[in-house]
Structure formats: C-alpha cells, structure tokens
Amino acid sequence: MVFMRIVSPCTAGIRTTFIRMICSMMLLVSAAAARNLAAMEAPSFSASPFFEAARGNALEYVYYNDKFLSELIWDMKPMLSAGMKADAEWRNGVSISVEGSLAVPMNTGIMEDSDWFNLYYYNQDTEKTNFSRHEAELLYGGSLEALIGKTFKAGGGGKRDISVTPALGIRYYRWKWDANDGYTQYASDSGEDVWSEDLQKTPISGTGISYEQQYLIPIAAVRAELSFSTNLKISTSVALSPWLYCYSIDNHHLTGYDYHDIMTGGYLLEPALAVEWTAASKVVPFLSLKWTRIGGLRGKTGEINTAANTISWSYAEDGAGPGAGLETAVFRAGVAFSLN
C-alpha cells in the first residue's frame, strides 16, 4: 500500500520555497567549489574535539481523532556526549564541515507515560486515565552532520570584522532508551474513570518499554560572526527545516506488542550562540549553546502482535497514528586545532 501524506497549501508553499532556496544555494556553492578545484587551491583544515551536555526531552505521541491518546516523555537530564568536527575552508569563503558525536550510555532521568483512553472509548479527552513513571536508561545515542557553506564579508573595519555564512546540509540523530522499574497508576485498576495522584501505585520490575528514534533532517542555516582584534569571535546562527523524516520503534515487553512508526513533515528550529578565543596561532577554544525544537511530525504506525505475528496499521489521514518531537538545550565546549 502506498502511503501519502496530505499537507495544507500553506505548508506546501513553505516547502516549495525551501526547496528552491536549497537549489539556489547549491548552485552558488557548487560554482565556487568548481572554481576552487580548477585552480587546485589547497584549503585550510581544522579538527575540533568537543564535549556536549544536552538537557530536554525526546517526545513520543499516539493520536486518536487528531488528539493525544498517549504521550511518552523521555528525559535527557542530562545526556552527555563527546564528538569531533572537521572543517575545510578555501580562501574564497567556501567551507565544508563534518561532525559526529556519541552519547554516554547512562541514566538520563525518567520516562513518564500518560494515556487518555476515555477518548477512545467514550470520545472524552479532558481527563487522563493512566499514568506510569520509570527510570530512563539510555542504551546508545549519536548524531552526524555535514554542511557546505559560503562566507561573505558584510562590513566592519577597524577593530571589528563582520561576516555572514549561509549553509545547507543534512543531519542524522539516533538514540534508544529502556524504561526500567517504576510504577503504574491505572484508573481502571482502582475502579475509577479518571486518573488522580491518589490512585494506588503498582510497582514494576525490569524493563517495560524500549524506545528508539531516528531522524534524517535536511537543513538550511545562516551564521553571522563578529570578529574582534583581541582574538575574540562571537557568532549567532539559526538552522531550520520545514520537512523531516523520523522512524521510531516502541517495544512493549510486558504486553507483547511492537510499534513501528514512520513519520514525515514537521519542522526543526534551532537558534544558537557561540564564543571563541584564539589562545595561540593554531589553538582556538570555544563554547556554544543551542536550543533545538522538533515538532509537527505525523505518519503511520504498524502495530505488531509478536505472539500472533500479525500487523495492523493506523494513519494520520484517519486522525490516528504516531507523532514525535524533541526539545533540548545543548551546551558544547571544545578546542579547534588548525592542521595547516
């Protein structure tokens, strides 16, 4: 069966504009890169090891009648990572950067799972029916990103130099958690119709749920940089995407059901601020802070009964299916080393 996502004319227009912008930037950068190769100009290279600390949440949703049927919040409080970034830059301002990072397997906080099952049974969504709370154990996590850009001098002079760098590229995220131990509070277990904090808590031992998210995200970005003669640089940037691809797997070990979610659309918005200081001719320490928000993803879910080996599908077009999101603040500290 072919799955097609329905988009509004407004969203379609935004995506068309985004695609045109990317094509224009690709032509500009490709022409500049071709001139570099023709002239056999050697770029300058740098390598930047870094450490990151992320704080926020990975979000998982289930919809019914286009309303929340379930919401699972996976903590990143914090999620710690280490990585490396490599840069190549030509004298005419064309640059290519590639980076990757790996997260430390660790407890990243808690996972909270909420359900509004009265929406499904009685078409009433105002009151929560189920709640559970568990330890969130990160099994693995990582990211990859590649960007190509072109720097333009925007003025300045004297003790200050201003530049602007538009760029385009692609980013990949992947992480997986186990929800361990904790407790459940189900209204039906206590003979109630809605959940309350006073409901009896039923302890859970072991792993109840495993959840994995993967994102593939085309990105357009622009960075403005202010350089001072005192070897200090301050930059601000924003990255965005009006279309993402997300694939997630939710394993419910206690009930024997697996849920495979395929989602597209949505958006990414990511403002950032960075500071760097040239400590020596080829050594540049830096600090950065960025805020990343991903939302608006919808798609289809394949529900697999692992005992009977059967599968059924639910779709966003029917008001059902999955959703996903991300809300994080990421602090990065590192050192850039010039290699030539």
Side-chain angles (χ1 to χ4, degrees):
M1 178 178 293
V2 177
F3 173 71
M4 298 182 63
R5 178 167 173 79
I6 300 174
V7 298
S8 69
C10 178
T11 303
I14 293 173
R15 292 177 186 170
T16 300
T17 302
F18 182 72
I19 292 170
R20 290 175 179 171
M21 180 179 67
I22 284 183
C23 291
S24 299
M25 292 177 65
M26 288 180 66
L27 289 173
L28 174 65
V29 173
S30 297
R35 288 196 299 270
N36 285 341
L37 293 175
M40 299 299 292
E41 178 187 336
S44 61
F45 294 98
S46 65
S48 308
F50 60 83
F51 166 82
E52 284 185 335
R55 184 174 180 85
N57 302 291
L59 306 171
E60 176 188 4
Y61 305 118
V62 179
Y63 289 91
Y64 184 78
N65 286 344
D66 288 321
K67 299 176 181 178
F68 283 164
L69 183 66
S70 298
E71 178 188 49
L72 292 86
I73 303 174
W74 298 83
D75 273 354
M76 298 176 176
K77 297 179 180 177
M79 183 173 75
L80 305 178
S81 304
M84 177 69 72
K85 181 180 180 182
D87 292 275
E89 184 174 358
W90 286 263
R91 284 198 301 268
N92 66 355
V94 173
S95 62
I96 297 174
S97 67
V98 179
E99 69 173 66
S101 67
L102 290 174
V104 179
M106 59 184 290
N107 183 296
T108 59
I110 61 172
M111 188 279 279
E112 292 184 340
D113 182 357
S114 300
D115 301 313
W116 290 262
F117 285 160
N118 284 337
L119 173 64
Y120 182 81
Y121 292 111
Y122 309 112
N123 198 28
Q124 297 176 354
D125 63 326
T126 56
E127 300 290 346
K128 186 184 302 186
T129 56
N130 296 350
F131 176 78
S132 66
R133 183 184 175 102
H134 316 274
E135 296 295 320
E137 191 72 24
L138 182 71
L139 302 182
Y140 53 78
S143 67
L144 294 170
E145 181 178 276
L147 287 173
I148 183 168
K150 167 72 173 177
T151 298
F152 299 92
K153 297 297 182 181
K159 296 183 178 181
R160 296 178 177 85
D161 188 19
I162 303 171
S163 63
V164 176
T165 305
L168 59 89
I170 193 162
R171 184 183 299 177
Y172 174 73
Y173 288 129
R174 183 176 184 178
W175 36 63
K176 183 177 182 178
W177 287 270
D178 279 345
N180 297 327
D181 304 328
Y183 64 86
T184 63
Q185 288 179 302
Y186 296 163
S188 58
D189 291 346
S190 301
E192 302 291 339
D193 295 324
V194 298
W195 171 85
S196 71
E197 295 182 359
D198 298 328
L199 289 180
Q200 179 181 349
K201 297 178 180 178
T202 302
I204 298 294
S205 180
T207 302
I209 297 175
S210 298
Y211 183 61
E212 179 180 6
Q213 272 187 347
Q214 297 183 65
Y215 288 99
L216 189 62
I217 310 169
I219 287 177
V222 62
R223 183 182 75 249
E225 185 174 84
L226 177 62
S227 302
F228 296 86
S229 60
T230 55
N231 297 329
L232 178 68
K233 289 185 180 180
I234 300 174
S235 65
T236 182
S237 64
V238 61
L240 60 89
S241 178
W243 187 92
L244 300 79
Y245 173 86
C246 179
Y247 175 64
S248 66
I249 303 175
D250 187 336
N251 308 112
H252 284 232
H253 302 291
L254 301 181
T255 61
Y257 282 88
D258 294 340
Y259 301 88
H260 291 247
D261 303 330
I262 301 171
M263 293 161 281
T264 57
Y267 64 89
L268 173 142
L269 177 63
E270 184 179 85
L273 180 67
V275 178
E276 63 181 60
W277 176 68
T278 303
S281 61
K282 295 187 176 184
V283 181
V284 183
F286 61 88
L287 301 172
S288 68
L289 180 65
K290 67 180 181 181
W291 177 76
T292 305
R293 180 178 176 85
I294 293 174
L297 284 155
R298 297 289 298 273
K300 63 178 179 178
T301 295
E303 180 185 76
I304 300 174
N305 184 325
T306 57
N309 197 28
T310 59
I311 185 170
S312 60
W313 291 92
S314 59
Y315 300 88
E317 285 81 352
D318 301 323
L326 178 70
E327 296 179 356
T328 60
V330 180
F331 170 79
R332 176 182 291 191
V335 180
F337 297 94
S338 177
L339 303 181
N340 58 351

